[in-house]
């Protein structure tokens, strides 16, 4: 079992920044994929970003198009954390953000992730 706990959500004006953090405990796995998803009211949960181990000290990142150049995913295997730095936030980024973990390579599909955090609210006002 893996437990994931998100933190760092909050309210910010458009153009501002927030940093989300996800702490993993239990059966942690530095060589596997960690992802961030979000769910806005009335909408399906959608992929935001993920990081996959590429061998050695190499990790690959994948982003949905709407956040490229604004969001950065990073991980600290020594601390078992994965962060999402969000810059130039827009009102359409408003959602509950979820951290997820899976064995193997990253995926953009929610059904591929076995472990989920409880979510943290991000609200961006115009």
């Amino acid at each position: 079992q893996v437990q994931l706990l998100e933190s760092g959500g909050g309210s910010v004006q458009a153009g501002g920044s927030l940093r989300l953090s996800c702490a993993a405990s239990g059966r942690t796995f530095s060589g596997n994929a960690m992802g961030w998803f979000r769910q806005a009211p009335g909408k399906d949960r959608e992929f935001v970003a993920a990081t996959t181990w590429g061998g050695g000290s190499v990790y690959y990142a994948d982003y949905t198009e709407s956040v490229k150049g604004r969001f950065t995913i990073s991980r600290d295997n020594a601390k078992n954390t994965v962060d999402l730095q969000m810059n130039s936030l827009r009102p359409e980024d408003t959602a509950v953000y979820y951290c997820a973990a899976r064995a193997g390579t990253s995926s953009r599909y929610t059904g591929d992730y076995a472990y989920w955090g409880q979510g943290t609210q991000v609200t961006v006002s115009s």
Side-chain angles (χ1 to χ4, degrees):
Q1 285 289 341
V2 175
Q3 294 80 43
L4 303 173
L5 183 63
E6 303 96 336
S7 61
S11 298
V12 66
Q13 289 189 327
S17 298
L18 284 173
R19 187 177 183 90
L20 306 182
S21 186
C22 174
S25 61
R27 180 190 166 212
T28 56
F29 38 164
S30 61
N32 292 276
M34 300 291 293
W36 285 96
F37 291 75
R38 65 188 180 187
Q39 188 167 17
K43 294 187 177 181
D44 293 335
R45 193 170 298 186
E46 65 173 3
F47 170 76
V48 176
T51 175
T52 299
W53 181 52
S57 61
V58 176
Y59 285 85
Y60 297 104
D62 183 28
Y63 300 93
T64 193
E65 191 64 31
S66 64
V67 308
K68 284 182 179 178
R70 300 189 298 123
F71 291 11
T72 302
I73 188 170
S74 61
R75 63 194 294 166
D76 185 333
N77 290 329
K79 298 180 180 179
N80 290 325
T81 58
V82 58
D83 292 352
L84 185 68
Q85 176 67 41
M86 305 185 295
N87 299 327
S88 301
L89 282 162
R90 304 167 180 169
E92 53 264 39
D93 295 319
T94 295
V96 177
Y97 282 71
Y98 296 89
C99 175
R102 72 183 300 267
T105 58
S106 66
S107 170
R108 294 186 171 207
Y109 300 101
T110 58
D112 288 342
Y113 287 80
Y115 305 101
W116 292 86
Q118 85 292 344
T120 185
Q121 177 70 45
V122 171
T123 303
V124 184
S125 59
S126 58

